Amino acid sequence: MYQRYHRVGPRHVRFLEYWFALNVALWICWITLRLRRQPLPKLLSDLSSKKPRGAGSLDSQRVVSIVKRVCRLRLFQLPMFPRICLRQSLALYRFLRGKGYPVQLHVGVHKERDVFRAHRWVSLRGEAIAGDTAGEKYRTLFVFPLTVHPVEQG
């Protein structure tokens, strides 16, 4: 459906962005339910095994920008939804991987005084994306996938 709007004017590009934002929001609702029934490694494995579907003609920077904005919507701050870093990293992983980018999802911990804090982030070629530099102080516990290969578009 996205390819239909690939070579059209700014009005249709704006429609494509809103359509993509709606898809991200619905996907976050769906993934919230899946997270309650499946452990994270199994969920990521399932997401990786499906045929990639991305954001059509949107470039990667626009995808990151839209995902970040959707993840910060007031609706997703309700207690039933995962914390911002988890929902944002899962959405970035899913949609950038769908565009063929070899992204990795990281889970790390950091100890502040006597409290452990967890954080999740997505990297592309070893660099954290979405302006997330907080991962530098976290000790990585989990990376998915361990080896990165470009995703085949088909």
Side-chain angles (χ1 to χ4, degrees):
M1 164 147 190
Y2 296 123
Q3 282 68 28
R4 195 175 348 166
Y5 299 104
H6 189 278
R7 291 184 214 116
V8 292
R11 180 190 294 156
H12 287 85
V13 171
R14 178 66 84 191
F15 170 77
L16 174 64
E17 290 174 348
Y18 284 128
W19 182 253
F20 176 64
L22 176 63
N23 279 308
V24 171
L26 292 173
W27 187 83
I28 290 171
C29 293
W30 175 80
I31 206 69
T32 299
L33 297 174
R34 292 273 312 259
L35 277 169
R36 296 187 188 287
R37 301 181 71 191
Q38 275 187 315
L40 185 60
K42 170 78 170 117
L43 179 67
L44 289 170
S45 179
D46 288 352
L47 287 175
S48 296
S49 66
K50 295 191 188 257
K51 183 178 177 184
R53 284 184 13 198
S57 62
L58 293 176
D59 65 56
S60 63
Q61 290 179 342
R62 196 67 192 129
V63 168
V64 170
S65 174
I66 292 170
V67 167
K68 285 174 61 175
R69 289 184 72 191
V70 170
C71 287
R72 293 189 191 291
L73 289 174
R74 187 167 259 180
L75 165 70
F76 298 124
Q77 294 174 12
L78 293 172
M80 66 183 275
F81 291 101
R83 302 195 82 175
I84 180 90
C85 62
L86 179 57
R87 66 179 177 260
Q88 182 173 293
S89 61
L90 286 172
L92 286 171
Y93 176 82
R94 191 265 190 219
F95 289 103
L96 288 174
R97 187 161 176 79
K99 286 188 67 64
Y101 290 96
V103 293
Q104 290 180 296
L105 186 130
H106 300 259
V107 178
V109 294
H110 172 69
K111 187 175 180 183
E112 287 180 17
R113 298 190 182 123
D114 292 335
V115 179
F116 279 101
R117 304 228 182 256
H119 184 58
R120 298 112 187 134
W121 66 96
V122 173
S123 69
L124 176 63
R125 296 180 191 95
E127 295 287 323
I129 57 174
D132 188 357
T133 58
E136 294 172 359
K137 70 178 184 180
Y138 287 83
R139 181 180 195 118
T140 302
L141 295 178
F142 176 80
V143 177
F144 187 88
L146 285 176
T147 57
V148 183
H149 303 287
V151 179
E152 304 258 341
Q153 291 283 350

